[in-house]
Amino acid sequence: MQRDSQIFDLIQKEHQRQLHGIELIASENFVSDQVMEAMGSVLTNKYAEGLPSKRYYGGCEIVDQSEQLAIDRAKQLFGAEWVNVQPHSGAQANAAVMLAILNPGDKILGFDLSHGGHLTHGSLVNFSGKLYQPSFYGVEPETGEINWAKVREVAEREKPKLIICGASAYSRDWNYQALREAADAVGALLLADISHPAGLIATGLLNDPFEFCHIVTTTTHKTLRGPRGGMIMMRKDFENPYGLKTPKGELRMMSSLLDSGVFPGTQGGPLEHVIAAKAVAFHEALSPSYKEYTAQVQKNAQVLAKSFVDRGYKIISSGTDNHLMLIDLRSKDLTGKLAENTLIKADITINKNMVPFDDKSPFVTSGIRIGSAAVTTRGLKEQDMDRIVDYIDRVLMNHDNETILSETRKEINNWMQQFPLFSY
């Protein structure tokens, strides 16, 4: 068979891009060689609708074992009683949960997208805002942090059936106990989407959502450093609180409802090669070195935040507890779009991002989001974070000087050679 040189040339170019630059997108990371090996394995050939030992296809004896291994390792990693590792993404994990426990038109309460929330937490352009009635809570203008008492006030006013916590651009830890009290006050279920800080939660560096939240979803990449995918978990199974019935009329435990929300509710055959890669990532995350890694991620993020503040940048909430931070560039008279496009010329990758109470469109934005997970995987430490911020500041303050941008890019490319990636 003739080799597809066009696509493999592009893959090689992406390989070089990742090697040469500084990766600061908070939702990205670098997986290990064995995670990539599992994703590129023959398991991609197997169709396996259903659950381990309950498939609709024959020949699933081996993938039953690999998927069960992923489930068992995830349970051990998070202290969960029930796990479904089949969702193709975090968005599909959230969709499956909502399909399982909500009816179209039910009320949901989520963290405002423009304040750092996620599309699947009720955004009007997303299924979650189109199928359900969303309301939102946000951060305080003065502090950039969530006021938990106000969340309860919104819950008591709106009386949602589901409260969602978690974010894509919020740098502080979550008060899950206060959110559970708000949920209990109105008879709502509480869903924690821990897609971003999952790795730091698994290693005990942040508050444990499983103690208070009925259901937990996550992606398996980002700080978990696995393949791109999703997962749904519960610390303990429980009878569904709404008396939801199957077409046959019987009541189900919540785990059964959630399994059905994934398949056949929102997906067909699971990606068994990706599930095997999830199992590999969970195995890595159970090692002592991974706990050291997440601690370094947190330290690096805190040094990054301080370095930005020392140079006059405004960090929303004035710092970070996790792996990311949101920077308001209006005090520097810059837009997020300009910053993203300029930094890429120096091989520094970030993403533009809305900031709370933004006066610009989502396509321009007033902010940027920075994360420490990928550079920490690469081996950078605290002393390197100040150098990164120096590069960012130099580029942004000289965004119209192509000579400085080119010189900075060469410096970065040379520096990154000290931090190799991959074994090939």
Side-chain angles (χ1 to χ4, degrees):
M1 184 179 296
Q2 185 177 2
R3 183 174 174 81
D4 187 344
S5 59
Q6 284 183 292
I7 197 66
F8 286 106
D9 285 348
L10 290 171
I11 290 172
Q12 180 60 22
K13 287 178 181 178
E14 174 61 17
H15 179 265
Q16 292 302 307
R17 187 195 70 81
Q18 293 183 21
L19 284 175
H20 292 155
I22 298 174
E23 180 54 69
L24 294 169
I25 292 179
S27 53
E28 293 190 10
N29 211 330
F30 300 113
V31 302
S32 68
D33 289 350
Q34 61 179 350
V35 167
M36 289 191 286
E37 183 180 355
M39 280 192 286
S41 70
V42 296
L43 296 182
T44 192
N45 299 326
K46 189 70 195 87
Y47 220 102
E49 283 186 347
L51 294 167
S53 302
K54 299 178 182 178
R55 306 290 191 182
Y56 289 82
Y57 287 78
C60 293
E61 297 83 4
I62 307 302
V63 294
D64 279 356
Q65 295 177 59
S66 60
E67 183 170 333
Q68 190 60 53
L69 198 56
I71 292 168
D72 293 341
R73 288 174 175 175
K75 287 179 179 179
Q76 183 181 353
L77 183 61
F78 288 99
E81 179 182 286
W82 173 87
V83 175
N84 187 306
V85 295
Q86 292 188 2
H88 302 332
S89 66
Q92 290 210 248
N94 289 339
V97 170
M98 293 182 197
L99 181 71
I101 65 175
L102 299 173
N103 291 312
D106 281 348
K107 290 186 174 183
I108 60 175
L109 173 60
F111 186 35
D112 195 323
L113 176 65
S114 66
H115 286 208
H118 191 262
L119 281 168
T120 57
H121 300 178
S123 172
L124 294 177
V125 300
N126 183 259
F127 79 88
S128 56
K130 292 177 180 289
L131 293 180
Y132 311 107
Q133 292 186 52
S135 54
F136 302 98
Y137 57 91
V139 301
E140 296 298 292
E142 300 81 9
T143 64
E145 297 188 42
I146 297 169
N147 181 320
W148 306 107
K150 287 190 176 180
V151 178
R152 179 161 179 165
E153 289 176 7
V154 177
E156 291 179 342
R157 181 179 69 244
E158 299 294 335
K159 294 181 172 51
K161 198 169 182 179
L162 176 69
I163 297 176
I164 309 168
C165 58
S168 62
Y170 184 65
S171 61
R172 295 303 184 180
D173 206 351
W174 288 76
N175 188 338
Y176 300 110
Q177 182 175 357
L179 289 163
R180 178 58 182 267
E181 290 170 357
D184 287 346
V186 298
L189 285 173
L190 180 59
L191 166 65
D193 180 344
I194 62 169
S195 292
H196 270 273
L200 281 69
I201 289 170
T203 53
L205 295 173
L206 295 173
N207 292 334
D208 179 8
F210 289 89
E211 184 177 353
F212 299 103
C213 300
H214 297 95
I215 304 166
V216 177
T217 60
T218 185
T219 54
T220 49
H221 42 293
K222 303 185 178 83
T223 55
L224 268 181
R225 208 162 54 176
R228 302 188 69 82
M231 181 164 61
I232 310 172
M233 301 175 282
M234 291 188 297
R235 173 77 34 98
K236 293 182 180 179
D237 202 358
F238 58 97
E239 291 185 2
N240 76 77
Y242 302 129
L244 297 175
K245 295 183 178 181
T246 70
K248 294 182 179 179
E250 74 270 17
L251 294 174
R252 285 188 181 178
M253 297 294 286
M254 184 55 66
S255 60
S256 180
L257 285 172
L258 294 173
D259 279 334
S260 295
V262 177
F263 172 79
T266 55
Q267 295 183 182
L271 309 178
E272 291 297 340
H273 56 303
V274 178
I275 290 172
K278 292 176 185 180
V280 173
F282 301 153
H283 177 71
E284 294 173 348
L286 287 164
S287 69
S289 63
Y290 181 77
K291 189 167 186 177
E292 295 172 4
Y293 161 73
T294 55
Q296 190 64 55
V297 167
Q298 191 178 55
K299 290 175 186 176
N300 284 351
Q302 290 168 353
V303 173
L304 281 170
K306 183 179 184 304
S307 294
F308 276 114
V309 171
D310 289 346
R311 288 165 178 78
Y313 290 84
K314 180 182 178 182
I315 303 289
I316 302 300
S317 84
S318 302
T320 182
D321 296 323
N322 53 37
H323 67 296
L324 62 78
M325 65 215 66
L326 188 56
I327 304 173
D328 190 335
L329 295 173
R330 285 177 288 193
S331 63
K332 298 288 185 176
D333 198 28
L334 298 168
T335 67
K337 181 179 181 179
L338 175 64
E340 178 184 309
N341 291 340
T342 304
L343 287 166
I344 202 67
K345 294 179 181 179
D347 278 348
I348 301 172
T349 311
I350 57 92
N351 64 275
K352 63 181 177 292
N353 212 99
M354 296 279 285
V355 297
F357 313 103
D358 207 326
D359 56 1
K360 296 179 178 64
S361 80
F363 300 101
V364 177
T365 80
S366 296
I368 56 175
R369 186 183 62 164
I370 301 285
S372 63
V375 290
T376 306
T377 293
R378 198 146 184 189
L380 279 74
K381 300 291 176 64
E382 293 98 320
Q383 65 271 17
D384 302 308
M385 299 301 107
D386 198 58
R387 184 171 178 176
I388 287 175
V389 177
D390 264 339
Y391 281 136
I392 292 173
D393 186 54
R394 183 198 305 176
V395 168
L396 294 183
M397 293 304 100
N398 296 279
H399 58 83
D400 54 355
N401 189 321
E402 294 296 331
T403 300
I404 290 178
L405 298 182
S406 178
E407 290 174 350
T408 303
R409 180 175 185 168
K410 290 177 183 177
E411 283 186 41
I412 288 171
N413 294 163
N414 289 332
W415 186 37
M416 286 297 101
Q417 290 181 23
Q418 302 173 33
F419 304 98
L421 274 173
F422 318 121
S423 63
Y424 63 95

